Amino acid sequence: MRAGVFQMAMRLIHILELKYMSKKDYTEEAAEKQWQEAVEQINGYAVAPRVEALRQGTQMHKIVMQFVGWELARMEEV
């Protein structure tokens, strides 16, 4: 083993929350409301006992994706 050389294997876990809104229902206000609901949902999933048990020793990424029609309107890691 060479001094100062370390490799660390990192396990990752991803939670995705997908939201869809039709183009005819789209308004900025409706989209923002849907987005906030998605963030609340994904944060709730992240602290659920089963998820906590599965994620031991991992790095969690929570990603929300919002589609309007067929197009990805917004995507962020929260």
Side-chain angles (χ1 to χ4, degrees):
M1 183 168 106
R2 291 179 21 201
V5 178
F6 296 95
Q7 237 181 345
M8 186 172 104
M10 183 175 293
R11 293 180 33 208
L12 304 174
I13 185 169
H14 293 81
I15 300 177
L16 301 176
E17 178 66 21
L18 306 177
K19 291 295 184 185
Y20 172 82
M21 180 175 287
S22 68
K23 286 184 179 184
K24 71 177 181 109
D25 292 336
Y26 174 82
T27 65
E28 285 187 29
E29 296 80 20
E32 185 58 31
K33 181 180 180 200
Q34 183 186 59
W35 183 265
Q36 293 306 319
E37 291 170 355
V39 170
E40 288 178 24
Q41 281 182 302
I42 202 167
N43 286 330
Y45 302 151
V47 297
R50 182 171 177 132
V51 173
E52 281 293 322
L54 291 172
R55 74 171 290 233
Q56 297 301 314
T58 66
Q59 180 180 1
M60 180 183 294
H61 295 276
K62 301 176 291 181
I63 300 169
V64 178
M65 301 172 74
Q66 185 178 42
F67 291 84
V68 177
W70 287 98
E71 297 195 26
L72 178 60
R74 186 173 177 184
M75 179 175 68
E76 292 179 21
E77 182 172 351
V78 297

